Amino acid sequence: MGIFVGKDSRVVVQGITGKQATFHTNIMKEYGTNVVAGVTPGRAGETVLDTIPVFNTVSDAARETGANVSVIYVPARFAADSIMEAADAGMDLVCCITEHIPVLDMVKVRHYLKNRKTKLIGPNCPGILTVDECRLGLLPTYIHKKGHVGVVSRSGTLTYEVTYQLTMAGIGQTTCIGIGGDPVKGIDFIDVLDAFNQDDETLAVMMIGEIGGTAEEEAAAWIKANMKKPVVGFISGRQAPPGKRMGHAGAIISGGKGTAADKIKALNDAGIEVADTVASMGETAVRVLKEAGLYDTCHTC
Amino acid sequence: MNIHEYQSKQILKEFGVKVPNGSAAFSPEEAARFAKDLSTDVVVVKAQIHAGGRGKAGGVKLAHNIDEVKSYASALLGRILVTHQTGPEGKEVHRLLIEEASDIEKEYYLSLTVDRKTAQIVMMGSAEGGMEIEEVAAKTPEKIFKEYIDPGVGLMPFQTKRMAYNMGFQQSVIAKASKTMECLYNAFVAKDCSLAEINPLVVTKQGEVVALDAKLNFDDSGLYRHPDIEALRDIDEEDPKERAAAKASLSYVNLGGDVACMVNGAGLAMATVDIIKFYGGEPANFLDVGGDSTVDKIAEAFRIMQSDDQVHSVFVNIFGGINKCDVIAAGIVEAAKVVGLRVPVIARLDGTNVEEGRRILREANVPGVHMAKNMVEGAKLAVELAKEKKLQARIKG
């Protein structure tokens, strides 16, 4: 089970002939992901990794292979166009890894997606992995073990870090998603929390936020009103100075808005425990699971 | 990326926004010459630094004759201006804007930015011009008007008119105010801005709508298609270490403390800064070496971190996803050879190829490099060793 991607996902890789894309497609395949096609304009007819056919366009790939999920590894200046191409070809889900897409390009993308069914993860994200079923993006596979905790994060490395801490503590996962560090992006915390809430396999959620914007505050309010499962939080950037971009394009405190203190307060006010440091995310999760009487069920590895 | 007020005004002028006549001067002589060319009785001498609050800090002067222009210019050039946005260290003034003074009837506020939640450009306007807009937003949010712009059609005339009426412009200048909004929007979109702000936007006694100040910030990711904007970069305004880091594709922010951090990934890098503080240390920097580190990049990162005299220890915190721990470990060994290690280095490695990474560090046995069992131990040790080193330095000094 898990959310958004699984065994039934038929994946097309946009930009598959690029070095990074081929490297990660190989890992995806080895993990058992059903990669059915690749797209690089001008390279139709070729084959990547012995078995994956390459097409000129996403529409061709979808028509010929029945692909319904796309992962994008194309350079920033072409990536917005690639997302729209995937949506136009009727993909259910598009996961865009690319960093440094201009914000105004993403404004256009969001407008384009408005009345379409396509769900977008990213950009500037590590992707998504449903344990033992499907991997899109960059996530290292060996840190994941099957279980009942969902992970959602704005940061790539923190997605890995928390997953690793959970696994080390014997707590397996359902699906791990990095939603990306850009200010204008696809799905946000609430979309993911909503899906985890409806997923029978997922019994608790680990949510990792950071400075900038107000998505964590909105998620806190949503959790308080709707979430039936325990959520454990962590926010990075407590020491970030205002007005400075901390690596991610979206990680910036502007006009006094988007501080870690505000986010932690909003989460605490909604009854959500927030780990003190990045090193204590796993142990905080264990404590919350024990308090909720879910520890034994969630101790899967 | 930020640019100076005079550069922002030049761009807005090209897009049809009315701005006062003026020029940028780099010396008192130049200032005097440009002031002579202006045909007004009163001339404004404005310090050009990348920070707001210049007026209150004494960076804006009204001169009534050429001698005054010259003396104000001499006093301002080379002066360190401390405003609420510069931090206590302030910023040195290297450039001045010499501009004709305006007869102000009333001041307004106008800006454009991208709203993250709706993924739309939003225009904000207020009759509370010349004030800190954050302050207005906090105290009297009802005095700020917003127009969300549909990306499909752009800013529509009904929106600029509605904004102009909401802001309280007199009927006689409604058309001019609306035109200013349209021009500002065109500039914002054409140049990939992240912020376009006119504060104050004024109506003059002559009935003109003029941008008395202007601030344009640009989306770094869009700069590749705007070489004209990239050319306006003023390196005097940027931290030299941040600049060197950017050249090496490292993401670095100076934080002023004594425990340097080298991390992969922006989220973990922020969280590492936080954990140093949590255990009683003062973080020196945020540094993300990115997902595709090479040995050279790591060595360069060490060069930059150690160029800060205040730094007394380095905490390397790596979770190898795409970044492999063995590459990071080899980078530390290489850095020790080519850059030299002036301060103790504490390394916490986990993730991809961790065993190989630890083996490389163990076998190289570089003096001053400590391997931490886990993140907490590493953070604590980095804080402790920085304190020791600082004490030693004080005793020596």
Side-chain angles (χ1 to χ4, degrees):
Chain A
M1 276 293 280
I3 62 170
F4 300 149
V5 294
K7 277 265 173 270
D8 53 348
S9 300
R10 299 176 60 80
V11 180
V12 52
V13 179
Q14 289 177 254
I16 193 164
T17 51
K19 197 175 146 209
Q20 201 203 17
T22 308
F23 174 78
H24 281 289
T25 302
N26 193 30
I27 300 173
M28 286 160 64
K29 256 184 81 180
E30 282 176 357
Y31 197 63
T33 310
N34 189 14
V35 183
V36 297
V39 170
T40 297
R43 305 283 289 268
E46 293 182 23
T47 309
V48 171
L49 299 169
D50 300 332
T51 57
I52 305 168
V54 181
F55 299 89
N56 283 330
T57 67
V58 182
S59 325
D60 287 349
R63 192 179 55 245
E64 298 299 322
T65 67
N68 67 336
V69 166
S70 144
V71 56
I72 297 175
Y73 298 92
V74 309
R77 58 184 72 187
F78 313 115
D81 182 58
S82 295
I83 298 170
M84 293 189 262
E85 182 187 359
D88 176 75
M91 295 298 118
D92 295 321
L93 182 94
V94 177
C95 180
C96 183
I97 307 306
T98 312
E99 187 178 0
H100 301 307
I101 300 179
V103 176
L104 292 184
D105 287 8
M106 281 311 300
V107 167
K108 283 187 196 151
V109 166
R110 281 279 297 272
H111 181 69
Y112 189 82
L113 294 180
K114 231 171 199 168
N115 295 311
R116 289 179 163 82
K117 64 169 180 177
T118 310
K119 214 185 280 298
L120 171 67
I121 299 176
N124 187 15
C125 79
I128 175 169
L129 183 148
T130 293
V131 182
D132 295 344
E133 294 190 32
C134 180
R135 170 204 189 253
L136 307 179
L138 315 173
L139 296 95
T141 53
Y142 71 94
I143 58 173
H144 298 86
K145 292 280 182 280
K146 205 164 174 57
H148 300 290
V149 175
V151 172
V152 56
S153 167
R154 275 168 70 187
S155 144
T157 331
L158 287 183
T159 311
Y160 317 155
E161 182 75 52
V162 72
T163 302
Y164 181 71
Q165 286 180 22
L166 289 171
T167 295
M168 284 292 139
I171 308 296
Q173 309 90 40
T174 48
T175 298
C176 300
I177 306 179
I179 54 175
D182 274 5
V184 177
K185 56 176 178 280
I187 60 170
D188 217 319
F189 285 119
I190 295 176
D191 307 281
V192 180
L193 290 164
D194 193 14
F196 278 137
N197 212 16
Q198 292 172 44
D199 176 45
D200 293 338
E201 292 271 307
T202 304
L203 302 179
V205 177
M206 187 83 217
M207 173 183 151
I208 317 287
E210 64 190 32
I211 55 160
T214 52
E216 290 81 359
E217 287 89 328
E218 286 142 26
W222 189 91
I223 290 166
K224 199 172 181 185
N226 304 288
M227 197 77 186
K228 298 175 294 205
K229 305 169 182 183
V231 178
V232 182
F234 177 70
I235 303 289
S236 54
R238 291 178 201 231
Q239 299 303 322
K244 277 280 185 185
R245 221 165 275 283
M246 303 299 273
H248 287 154
I252 180 165
I253 299 166
S254 49
K257 286 267 163 56
T259 65
D262 284 352
K263 292 170 190 295
I264 293 166
K265 186 175 182 304
L267 289 167
N268 285 338
D269 287 351
I272 300 157
E273 253 205 76
V274 179
D276 283 334
T277 75
V278 59
S280 64
M281 296 187 292
E283 60 194 63
T284 308
V286 166
R287 194 171 61 241
V288 170
L289 289 175
K290 281 183 177 165
E291 282 163 10
L294 291 168
Y295 179 73
D296 290 336
T297 323
C298 289
H299 195 271
T300 54
C301 53
Chain B
M1 185 186 128
N2 298 342
I3 59 173
H4 289 292
E5 173 196 359
Y6 76 89
Q7 296 166 326
S8 298
K9 281 180 169 167
Q10 187 57 44
I11 292 169
L12 291 185
K13 191 176 168 187
E14 286 162 24
F15 280 84
V17 175
K18 202 165 166 45
V19 300
N21 290 318
S23 307
F26 293 78
S27 69
E29 292 70 34
E30 243 182 350
R33 199 166 68 240
F34 292 141
K36 257 182 228 160
D37 294 343
L38 297 170
S39 53
T40 47
D41 295 337
V42 185
V43 169
V44 192
V45 180
K46 294 181 94 173
Q48 299 292 290
I49 54 169
H50 289 182
R54 292 167 296 163
K56 273 185 200 151
V60 180
K61 303 285 182 194
L62 289 181
H64 298 84
N65 54 57
I66 300 301
D67 286 340
E68 270 184 28
V69 170
K70 232 176 168 171
S71 71
Y72 283 138
S74 308
L76 280 174
L77 284 167
R79 197 178 128 190
I80 308 281
L81 216 54
V82 180
T83 82
H84 68 283
Q85 285 185 4
T86 59
E89 69 280 8
K91 279 194 164 170
E92 191 175 338
V93 180
H94 298 285
R95 311 173 186 204
L96 300 170
L97 171 58
I98 307 301
E99 195 177 71
E100 64 185 16
S102 304
D103 277 335
I104 301 167
E105 178 79 38
K106 183 160 170 37
E107 300 188 350
Y108 301 84
Y109 173 91
L110 183 68
S111 76
L112 289 163
T113 183
V114 176
D115 180 61
R116 298 163 72 128
K117 203 164 140 190
T118 59
Q120 286 179 315
I121 297 171
V122 59
M123 177 165 69
M124 288 193 279
S126 174
E128 304 292 307
M131 292 181 45
E132 279 296 316
I133 198 65
E134 287 85 13
E135 214 179 300
V136 180
K139 286 183 189 151
T140 48
E142 72 282 0
K143 289 186 176 169
I144 298 175
F145 300 94
K146 292 182 182 179
E147 291 287 343
Y148 290 86
I149 300 159
D150 186 317
V153 292
L155 180 63
M156 296 305 289
F158 79 86
Q159 293 183 295
T160 59
K161 254 180 279 159
R162 183 163 61 195
M163 178 62 90
Y165 285 118
N166 279 337
M167 284 168 70
F169 284 101
Q170 296 292 314
Q171 185 58 44
S172 55
V173 292
I174 287 287
K176 283 176 182 164
S178 302
K179 179 85 179 10
T180 302
M181 294 173 201
E182 190 191 317
C183 297
L184 188 66
Y185 172 76
N186 290 340
F188 187 95
V189 173
K191 299 295 182 189
D192 273 294
C193 289
S194 53
L195 173 74
E197 185 181 70
I198 303 178
N199 188 22
L201 176 69
V202 304
V203 174
T204 63
K205 295 219 161 73
Q206 295 76 31
E208 295 295 337
V209 176
V210 181
L212 220 53
D213 199 351
K215 179 177 172 184
L216 296 182
N217 292 351
F218 301 91
D219 173 10
D220 291 335
S221 299
L223 282 176
Y224 77 87
R225 51 193 178 201
H226 304 292
D228 55 327
I229 302 297
E230 182 62 56
L232 299 178
R233 191 183 286 278
D234 178 0
I235 54 168
D236 286 339
E237 289 287 335
E238 297 179 2
D239 182 290
K241 290 193 289 293
E242 289 178 16
R243 189 137 183 83
K247 265 193 189 152
S249 312
L250 301 163
S251 179
Y252 176 100
V253 176
N254 189 7
L255 298 173
D258 60 1
V259 182
C261 304
M262 190 185 88
V263 189
N264 65 320
L268 186 59
M270 273 186 268
T272 303
V273 165
D274 294 348
I275 200 171
I276 290 296
K277 184 81 182 180
F278 185 84
Y279 287 114
E282 290 301 328
N285 64 274
F286 162 99
L287 173 58
D288 173 11
V289 292
D292 53 347
S293 292
T294 57
V295 170
D296 289 345
K297 223 166 144 181
I298 305 293
E300 182 60 21
F302 269 93
R303 202 188 313 269
I304 292 164
M305 286 187 292
Q306 294 195 113
S307 71
D308 185 343
D309 291 340
Q310 273 198 64
V311 165
H312 293 303
S313 74
V314 173
F315 182 33
V316 178
N317 190 12
I318 300 294
F319 191 92
I322 302 319
N323 255 331
K324 297 178 182 70
C325 292
D326 52 332
V327 175
I328 303 280
I332 296 173
V333 175
E334 176 72 10
K337 266 190 229 146
V338 299
V339 190
L341 299 181
R342 174 173 75 70
V343 296
V345 174
I346 300 87
R348 173 263 176 166
L349 305 176
D350 250 320
T352 308
N353 295 358
V354 61
E355 293 311 326
E356 180 65 7
R358 286 182 184 157
R359 190 188 59 77
I360 290 171
L361 280 189
R362 208 168 36 239
E363 284 177 6
N365 197 20
V366 183
V369 176
H370 307 256
M371 247 188 292
K373 275 205 300 287
N374 55 48
M375 208 192 307
V376 172
E377 188 191 280
K380 282 181 177 166
L381 189 59
V383 171
E384 197 183 305
L385 292 179
K387 280 183 181 155
E388 251 173 52
K389 187 92 183 169
K390 199 173 178 177
L391 197 65
Q392 282 171 10
R394 203 174 298 153
I395 293 166
K396 264 191 214 157

